[in-house]
Amino acid sequence: MKNVVVNPHDGIFKTFLKDSSIARDFLEVYLPEEIKALCDFTTLQITSGSFVEDDLRQHFSDIVYSLKIADQSGYIYVLIEHQSTVPVLMPFRMLNYELGIMKQHLDQGHKKLPIIVPLLFYQGPTSPYPASLDLIDCFEDPELAKKTFLKPFKLIDLTVIPDEELRSHKSVALLEIIQKHIRIKDITQFIHDVVMLLKREPSTVDKVASILHYLLSEGECANPKQLIQYLYEQVPQYEEEIMTVAQQLKQEGWQEGIQQGIQQGIQQGMQQGMQQGMQQGMQQGRQEEARAMVQNLSAMGMDNAFIEKVTRLSVEEITALLKQAH
């Protein structure tokens, strides 16, 4: 903030109102009676700086007084308007300046917002003052604004909403369940809900990958191996996402547990259907799927012996498929 005199109006305004005795007389004349009764004018001080934007200082000047109001830190903000055309959004501009004072107050170490009494000093060519002083009138729909603006905001407190209710929230239920329980000691306690919701509300690949990464990286899990295995068994349609996220997290701290879980999950998943589909696919010439499977397993650090056991391919076939990947 700066305190720069840019025009005659500003100069004479501040020459007078920076005199504390004149300022006190001014405030005693113009403050609302109920506010004036709460003010301790013996504590009145003029603060330095301006809250008016640089490009508007040819039209506006301001001065800030600090004092005790009802025995609390408070401010009186006086804005003087020089321009000939009254801005329709003046109440919004005043609010913006008041917010600036509040921020400065907090930056000084205070923990609560101060009381601010705004005054607009007008000496323009149109009489009387031709615009509204009510901030609500700045909205396109004032009646709707009365119902929403400066009202207590709506709180969505997941911690008190029963899981049963969250499960009824359609496509957002999965996000809410995960966010509610992510801090518990073991995420396997609610993983069945995650699986159920993934089955009920199929999601996009990127969202599933994001969900899995969030669960496995931010949640606590006593048995990563069991968790990975369970996911493979319950939602095999997201096999690739599970494998990809597990591979990423293998480099972030879950190496042994994840790798063992992946191995067991793949083995059981293959035995329960993936293996049969793979073999049938290979028999029908689905070389691309086989190549992708082998490449994924190899990228996760599986040796050829393990890949051979899982896919039932020969070492020669595996080697050939890996060569195709390069």
Side-chain angles (χ1 to χ4, degrees), residues 255-275:
Q255 295 192 9
E256 182 178 355
I258 286 181
Q259 185 163 338
Q260 291 176 357
I262 291 170
Q263 290 172 352
Q264 290 195 13
I266 291 176
Q267 287 173 328
Q268 292 195 13
M270 287 287 189
Q271 292 169 2
Q272 296 172 3
M274 291 170 60
Q275 179 177 298

Side-chain angles (χ1 to χ4, degrees), residues 31-32 35 39 67 69 74-78 98 115-119:
L31 281 177
I35 299 297
C39 292
L67 74 167
I69 301 177
Y75 299 90
I76 298 174
Y77 181 67
V78 182
E98 290 181 68
I115 295 297
I116 301 174
V117 182
L119 299 174

Side-chain angles (χ1 to χ4, degrees), residues 73 75 101-114:
S73 296
Y75 299 90
I101 298 172
M102 291 179 183
K103 183 180 185 304
Q104 178 177 271
H105 185 79
L106 295 177
D107 289 344
Q108 292 170 350
H110 300 279
K111 303 302 181 182
K112 294 286 187 176
L113 296 176

Side-chain angles (χ1 to χ4, degrees), residues 30-272:
Y30 289 112
L31 281 177
E33 290 297 328
E34 65 273 18
I35 299 297
K36 185 166 60 175
L38 300 175
C39 292
D40 181 358
F41 289 107
T42 65
T43 64
L44 184 70
Q45 293 184 349
I46 300 168
T47 67
S48 61
S50 170
F51 291 87
V52 176
E53 300 89 334
D54 290 343
D55 61 336
L56 293 177
R57 291 190 182 176
Q58 61 180 324
H59 304 300
F60 298 95
S61 301
D62 62 348
I63 192 165
V64 184
Y65 302 100
S66 66
L67 74 167
K68 292 291 185 179
I69 301 177
D71 294 324
Q72 314 260 340
S73 296
Y75 299 90
I76 298 174
Y77 181 67
V78 182
L79 181 68
I80 182 170
E81 183 178 327
H82 311 308
Q83 64 182 357
S84 58
T85 303
V86 174
V88 176
L89 297 181
M90 176 58 81
F92 175 70
R93 180 167 294 159
M94 185 70 85
L95 173 64
N96 202 30
Y97 299 152
E98 290 181 68
L99 292 175
I101 298 172
M102 291 179 183
K103 183 180 185 304
Q104 178 177 271
H105 185 79
L106 295 177
D107 289 344
Q108 292 170 350
H110 300 279
K111 303 302 181 182
K112 294 286 187 176
L113 296 176
I115 295 297
I116 301 174
V117 182
L119 299 174
L120 176 64
F121 190 89
Y122 172 72
Q123 42 82 264
T126 303
S127 181
Y129 187 78
S132 172
L133 303 179
D134 191 340
L135 184 61
I136 291 298
D137 291 331
C138 294
F139 290 87
E140 290 189 13
D141 189 335
E143 290 305 314
L144 180 57
K146 290 178 183 178
K147 299 176 183 178
T148 59
F149 187 66
L150 293 183
K151 301 293 183 182
F153 50 80
K154 168 68 175 180
L155 173 64
I156 304 171
D157 186 353
L158 293 179
T159 66
V160 300
I161 303 176
D163 286 1
E164 182 178 357
E165 181 178 341
L166 294 178
R167 294 187 196 105
S168 69
H169 291 177
K170 299 181 180 180
S171 60
V172 78
L174 181 58
L175 170 66
E176 292 175 329
I177 287 289
I178 291 173
Q179 292 282 278
K180 178 178 179 180
H181 296 295
I182 192 64
R183 292 184 177 85
I184 66 175
K185 292 183 178 179
D186 191 346
I187 60 174
T188 57
Q189 296 177 29
F190 72 93
I191 201 65
H192 62 283
D193 264 333
V194 174
V195 167
M196 180 271 291
L197 292 170
L198 280 172
K199 290 179 177 179
R200 191 189 74 185
E201 301 280 349
S203 191
T204 60
V205 168
D206 61 326
K207 289 186 178 63
V208 171
S210 177
I211 287 166
L212 294 173
H213 192 281
Y214 180 70
L215 280 172
L216 299 176
S217 62
E218 299 300 322
E220 297 290 336
C221 182
N223 194 332
K225 176 179 65 175
Q226 181 180 356
L227 176 61
I228 295 294
Q229 181 178 334
Y230 179 72
L231 289 172
Y232 261 96
E233 292 172 355
Q234 297 298 316
V235 283
Q237 66 269 37
Y238 298 118
E239 167 214 348
E240 184 175 351
E241 287 69 46
I242 296 171
M243 187 180 299
T244 299
V245 171
Q247 170 63 16
Q248 293 171 351
L249 291 170
K250 191 176 78 168
Q251 302 172 357
E252 298 176 15
W254 278 29
Q255 295 192 9
E256 182 178 355
I258 286 181
Q259 185 163 338
Q260 291 176 357
I262 291 170
Q263 290 172 352
Q264 290 195 13
I266 291 176
Q267 287 173 328
Q268 292 195 13
M270 287 287 189
Q271 292 169 2
Q272 296 172 3

